[in-house]
Amino acid sequence: MKILMCEPKYYLISYEINPWMKIDNQVDHVLAHQQWKNLYETIKKIADDVHLVEPIEMLPDMVFTANAALIHNNIAYISNFRFPERKDESHHFNDWFTNNGYQTIFYDKDHTYYFEGAGDALFMGDLLFYGHGFRSDKEFHENLKTIKNEHIILCRLIDPYFYHMDTCFCPIDDKFAIWYPPAFSLESRKAIEDKIEVFAVPENEAKHFACNAVVLGKHVIMPANCPETKNHLEHKGFTVFECDMSEFIKAGGACKCLTLLLD
Ligand code: ARG
C-alpha cells in the first residue's frame, strides 16, 4: 500500500473554514511536527511506501492530503475545493500526480460543482461512500459514476463539525465500518445500515476524531483518547496504534486526513 503525505512546514491556522478552526487557538509548531513525524513513522513501518509532496507556503491545509484527489486505477480525480483558501492546492497536487505517473482528471474546474477528494469519497469493497452537504456537492458524484456507477452510496452530512465524510465514517474492511450516526441525515443512516455492518463510536470519541483512522490491512492507526473504539477494534482482531493528533484537530483533521491512499 502506498500513501501520500505532506510535511507540516507551513501548517498553521490562518483562516477559519470549519467550526474547529479558530485563529486564536493557534498550532504549537514543535508539537505539530512531532505528532506528524510520529504518524509518518508509524505508517512507514506498515505501508510499502510513503511518498511526500512538497509543502507550499501560504497553503497551510496542504498537510491534509486526503483532500488532494480520489485515486482509482492509477487515475487521480483532482479535487475542486469549495473554499478559496484551499483552491490553489489543486494544481500543486495535480503536478505531483502527473510527475509521478498518474493520469489526472480535473472535472468541473470551472466551478460548477465542488469535490474534496478522498475526504468525501471512501471505497469499501465494491462500494463507494460519498459524503455531501458541506464540502462536496451531491451532483459531483455523477462524475464518479465511471468508477462505481450503481455502487455509489450517497450520504448527506448534517453536522458542521463533521463536514467531511472521513470525520464520521471509516471503512475497516469490506464489510465493517465505524461511524458517528448523528453526523448523517436519517435517510443516509438507513442507507448505510442497510448495506454494511457498523459500530457507532461514542460522541466524545467522535469529537476526538475516532473515525479519522488509517486502515492498513489488520492495522488501524487512530487518534488518541478513543478507548471504546480502540477496544472494539482490538476485539475484532485489529492491531491499533494510537497517535496524539491535538495540533491537527485544531484545523478539523487527524490521522486519515493527513494521508491519501495511492493504491
Ligand atoms: N482545515 C481543513 C479544511 O477545513 C481540514 C481538512 C481535513 N480533511 C479531511 N479529509 N477531513 O478543509
Side-chain angles (χ1 to χ4, degrees):
M1 274 185 252
K2 283 199 260 166
I3 304 273
L4 181 66
M5 294 181 70
C6 177
E7 273 186 78
K9 191 167 171 193
Y10 303 111
Y11 171 62
L12 79 170
I13 312 293
S14 59
Y15 46 77
E16 300 176 357
I17 58 169
N18 69 54
W20 301 92
M21 300 177 91
K22 299 279 174 253
I23 289 172
D24 291 346
N25 186 24
Q26 208 37 258
V27 166
D28 174 331
H29 277 281
V30 175
L31 191 52
H33 272 85
Q34 282 171 2
Q35 292 178 348
W36 184 90
K37 194 91 207 283
N38 179 42
L39 177 69
Y40 172 77
E41 298 293 346
T42 308
I43 292 175
K44 236 180 132 181
K45 280 186 208 138
I46 306 163
D48 303 320
D49 262 322
V50 185
H51 295 271
L52 294 175
V53 52
E54 191 67 30
I56 306 287
E57 205 170 350
M58 310 288 281
L59 294 175
D61 277 340
M62 244 186 111
V63 287
F64 298 111
T65 52
N67 298 123
L70 177 69
I71 312 295
H72 186 68
N73 282 348
N74 217 51
I75 301 174
Y77 298 85
I78 304 290
S79 291
N80 179 19
F81 287 93
R82 179 169 295 271
F83 288 101
E85 289 87 341
R86 294 198 69 181
K87 280 197 187 301
D88 282 349
E89 293 178 34
S90 290
H91 74 264
H92 294 290
F93 283 126
N94 188 70
D95 289 350
W96 189 90
F97 290 116
T98 307
N99 295 335
N100 285 275
Y102 290 82
Q103 184 194 335
T104 62
I105 297 183
F106 195 174
Y107 286 118
D108 281 351
K109 60 170 166 268
D110 299 326
H111 308 315
T112 326
Y113 297 121
Y114 298 112
F115 171 60
E116 299 205 352
D120 273 331
L122 286 87
F123 291 111
M124 182 166 175
D126 207 24
L127 307 172
L128 177 63
F129 288 88
Y130 181 80
H132 60 89
F134 292 104
R135 296 299 184 83
S136 300
D137 282 319
K138 183 179 180 185
E139 293 81 353
F140 189 95
H141 88 277
E142 297 287 340
N143 293 325
L144 302 175
K145 281 193 170 164
T146 47
I147 306 181
K148 288 286 178 199
N149 201 9
E150 74 275 22
H151 298 299
I152 300 179
I153 318 293
L154 295 177
C155 306
R156 188 157 71 82
L157 304 173
I158 57 165
D159 181 334
Y161 279 91
F162 300 95
Y163 57 95
H164 276 140
M165 182 85 181
D166 68 1
T167 62
C168 49
F169 181 85
C170 180
I172 303 293
D173 61 24
D174 283 1
K175 294 188 180 63
F176 165 66
I178 58 174
W179 71 327
Y180 181 55
F184 297 89
S185 71
L186 285 179
E187 203 186 324
S188 302
R189 280 196 215 183
K190 201 171 167 310
I192 293 171
E193 283 168 325
D194 277 354
K195 289 276 176 204
I196 55 167
E197 177 199 340
V198 276
F199 169 75
V201 309
E203 182 183 356
N204 63 324
E205 298 192 8
K207 289 183 172 158
H208 286 120
F209 280 71
C211 296
N212 205 251
V214 180
V215 182
L216 299 169
K218 295 299 272 183
H219 301 93
V220 181
I221 300 144
M222 66 182 296
N225 305 311
C226 304
E228 224 178 280
T229 310
K230 179 174 184 275
N231 276 343
H232 189 83
L233 292 171
E234 285 174 343
H235 275 114
K236 286 210 147 242
F238 292 87
T239 306
V240 179
F241 299 85
E242 288 179 285
C243 289
D244 190 356
M245 287 280 110
S246 65
E247 298 318 292
F248 297 97
I249 290 176
K250 288 177 179 173
C255 308
K256 157 67 168 55
C257 308
L258 293 167
T259 65
L260 177 69
L261 187 60
L262 293 171
D263 61 23

